[in-house]
């Protein structure tokens, strides 16, 4: 599919200087940076060829941009919120990319302590802890979005994902929820948009159809680890089952949707 160039006022000044784009014809997922994302979110991103980090929309305190629900290793129904204290320089109008970590050093230590407290007894903890080191280092940037994005990168890497990551603030798009998502898919040459359950509740498919882009609903089943994966951070599954077992289940789910070719 030929890449299009959305005309009219863009949400980003980067229209004349695009980043390195993926090969056209891929599957695109668009999602805000989430801190240690839920398993269903991670599975959706894994199923896509590339993830566009939606960093230039409003920060929402009740979302997962600065917090994650941790399940106890042996009793996942026992849950606790891990929250990174976040300051919004422009109040409720602050964009995700501009949100600041309150006391990054203290937040890093508390995050490291909670992760070890919940999952340090897992036989998979050494591999998990090593993967999480760059996430803890990202607290030094002072930006909540950086820590959240890198946490997702780290977990996708544990699953062996080979996709590409782009950032919405570096790509031109027009206002309007569905129009913006369409523009981001179109400018990156996507053949299809992988849409999660939440997105399907508001998505208007007309702009996608006008660009010749398919919308692929991604709704994990209500069996196995997937019910808890709708609320718990994927850290629980990685610690309880191990990265390889989780990778196999995520791969199987993506192949069930026809989004990836099963491993030989």
């Amino acid at each position: 599919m030929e890449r299009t160039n959305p005309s009219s006022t863009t949400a980003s000044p980067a229209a004349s200087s695009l980043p390195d784009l993926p090969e056209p014809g891929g599957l695109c997922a668009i999602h805000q940076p989430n801190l240690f994302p839920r398993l269903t979110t991670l599975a959706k991103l894994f199923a896509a060829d590339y993830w566009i980090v939606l960093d230039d929309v409003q920060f929402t305190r009740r979302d997962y941009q600065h917090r994650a629900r941790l399940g106890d290793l042996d009793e996942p129904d026992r849950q606790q919120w891990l929250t990174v204290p976040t300051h919004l320089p422009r109040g409720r109008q602050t964009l995700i990319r501009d949100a600041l970590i309150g006391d990054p050093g203290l937040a890093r230590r508390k995050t490291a302590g909670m992760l070890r407290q919940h999952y340090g007894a897992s036989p998979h903890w050494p591999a998990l802890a090593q993967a999480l080191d760059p996430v803890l280092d990202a607290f030094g940037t002072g930006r909540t979005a950086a820590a959240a994005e890198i946490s997702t990168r780290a977990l996708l890497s544990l699953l062996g994902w080979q996709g590409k990551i782009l950032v919405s603030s570096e790509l031109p798009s027009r206002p309007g929820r569905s129009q913006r998502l369409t523009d981001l898919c179109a400018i990156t040459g996507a053949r299809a948009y992988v849409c999660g359950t939440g997105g399907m509740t508001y998505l208007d498919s007309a702009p996608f159809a006008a660009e010749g882009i398919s919308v692929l609903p991604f709704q994990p089943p209500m069996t196995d680890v997937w019910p808890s994966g709708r609320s718990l951070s994927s850290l629980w599954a990685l610690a309880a089952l191990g990265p390889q077992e989780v990778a196999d289940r995520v791969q199987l789910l993506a192949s069930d949707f026809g989004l990836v070719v099963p491993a030989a």
Side-chain angles (χ1 to χ4, degrees), residues 94-261:
T94 302
L95 301 182
I96 292 174
R97 67 186 180 192
D98 298 325
L100 303 176
I101 300 173
D103 196 340
L106 179 60
R108 183 189 192 281
R109 292 193 296 273
K110 285 190 173 181
T111 298
M114 284 189 67
L115 296 180
R116 179 175 290 277
Q117 173 189 345
H118 277 77
Y119 305 121
S122 165
H124 307 289
W125 174 249
L128 195 55
Q130 183 177 11
L132 295 178
D133 278 343
V135 186
L136 297 175
D137 290 343
F139 279 70
T141 66
R143 296 193 173 271
T144 303
E149 178 187 334
I150 292 174
S151 75
T152 304
R153 286 177 180 262
L155 300 189
L156 284 171
S157 180
L158 268 179
L159 300 184
W161 186 66
Q162 300 295 316
K164 186 179 182 66
I165 297 177
L166 301 165
V167 181
S168 63
S169 58
E170 298 177 354
L171 299 166
S173 62
R174 287 169 284 184
R177 275 184 170 184
S178 297
Q179 186 63 63
R180 166 177 279 191
L181 298 178
T182 301
D183 287 348
L184 291 174
C185 287
I187 199 70
T188 54
R191 66 177 170 84
Y193 171 55
V194 184
C195 186
T197 306
M200 290 303 299
T201 62
Y202 67 79
L203 195 75
D204 178 5
S205 62
F208 291 90
E211 291 284 355
I213 300 170
S214 301
V215 175
L216 303 179
F218 188 80
Q219 184 173 0
M222 293 299 293
T223 56
D224 196 33
V225 297
W226 300 111
S228 64
R230 285 173 162 79
S231 58
L232 286 184
S233 165
S234 50
L235 287 171
W236 175 81
L238 288 162
L241 304 175
Q244 186 56 59
E245 180 65 24
V246 174
D248 290 345
R249 296 188 190 200
V250 168
Q251 175 85 19
L252 179 61
L253 181 62
S255 64
D256 285 346
F257 277 89
L259 302 179
V260 299
V261 178

Side-chain angles (χ1 to χ4, degrees), residues 69-118:
R69 188 181 277 116
L70 304 182
D72 185 82
L73 183 61
D74 298 318
E75 298 180 60
D77 288 338
R78 293 179 56 191
Q79 300 170 9
Q80 183 179 4
W81 281 107
L82 163 64
T83 302
V84 174
T86 296
H87 168 62
L88 305 181
R90 298 188 59 203
R92 295 179 62 182
Q93 301 304 312
T94 302
L95 301 182
I96 292 174
R97 67 186 180 192
D98 298 325
L100 303 176
I101 300 173
D103 196 340
L106 179 60
R108 183 189 192 281
R109 292 193 296 273
K110 285 190 173 181
T111 298
M114 284 189 67
L115 296 180
R116 179 175 290 277
Q117 173 189 345
H118 277 77

